[in-house]
Amino acid sequence: MVSKKALLDVLESIAPKHLAMDWDNCGLLIDAKEGYERLLICVDITADVLDEAIEKKCDLIISHHPLIFDPIKSIDKNSIVFKAIQSGISVYAAHTNMDVVAGGVNDTLAKMCGITNCQPLDSENDNGFGCVGTLAQKITVSEVVQNIEDALKVEGIRVTGALDRPVEVVAVACGAGGDSVNAAKSAGVDVLLTGEAKHHEHLLATSLDLVLLEAGHYNTEKHFVKLMAERLQATTDELKYNLQVKISEREKPPYVTI
């Protein structure tokens, strides 16, 4: 068993909470145990994921998206929060801090898509965040899209911009990163890859002559699970902590594409 303090110190070393956006809610959200033996990693804590954690006798669930985000005004007995507390399962979230940390979700997404020499994307203009890098060689938007589909194992990416346009500099802002359009333009980017963008952000990209690729929120962050599990297991093994780190087998996207 690993003490609560020891594991929280490890998680802080992997994704420091001070890196999270001001609006985010990272860290220990449900504190139900003083020590942990079995952990479950997921992107979202759904009813299925919680049932899985209970069946596998996990002490802690580490999710990417916070289970508790907006202020809670009441807790229903059928809610996931109530059931987690009742089951004695702690909950921890590593969200935007894991996105922006060096080697985190954004950097890993860029690497998966063949983008190298990544540097942080300046966020002063619009509170966006992400990273910007270059491709090995100049290719068209259409070829970039194909590479991303192959890397993320998805079919269908929403594209704003000309498919035959040559591309070399690409920015990545995982999840709902459409608010990084201005920052990407200021950084001299040809293409911004994100998971989710609003209608007006697509219009803004068009007005700025920036190609915007929308690949799906879940699709651009699902690698968080493997990334966190590997880092957590490696660090705790090195410290000789007795900890089992499991990846959720029941998690799936909240939607299907038809």
Side-chain angles (χ1 to χ4, degrees), residues 42-107:
C42 63
V43 175
D44 295 290
I45 302 178
T46 62
D48 286 342
V49 169
L50 180 57
D51 286 343
E52 180 184 9
I54 294 170
E55 291 171 20
K56 292 180 176 178
K57 299 181 179 179
C58 294
D59 309 296
L60 173 68
I61 302 175
I62 299 176
S63 66
H64 187 44
H65 295 141
L67 176 61
I68 301 171
F69 192 74
D70 296 317
I72 294 178
K73 297 182 179 180
S74 64
I75 300 178
D76 185 87
K77 64 182 177 63
N78 296 313
S79 69
I80 295 174
V81 171
F82 184 92
K83 190 172 181 179
I85 295 171
Q86 188 178 48
S87 302
I89 296 177
S90 296
V91 169
Y92 188 97
H95 190 206
T96 53
N97 50 333
M98 191 64 176
D99 289 337
V100 303
V101 71
V105 177
N106 273 319
D107 285 350

Side-chain angles (χ1 to χ4, degrees), residues 138-199:
K138 189 172 288 189
I139 57 178
T140 65
V141 170
S142 182
E143 291 170 314
V144 171
V145 169
Q146 185 60 60
N147 290 343
I148 293 170
E149 287 182 335
D150 292 342
L152 302 185
K153 295 180 172 57
V154 298
E155 294 183 6
I157 291 177
R158 184 174 292 175
V159 182
T160 294
L163 293 176
D164 60 352
R165 177 174 172 171
V167 172
E168 186 172 19
V169 182
V170 181
V172 167
C174 65
D179 60 353
S180 295
V181 168
N182 279 326
K185 182 63 179 179
S186 297
V189 166
D190 300 315
V191 170
L192 170 62
L193 166 63
T194 188
E196 183 180 339
K198 297 177 181 178
H199 180 75

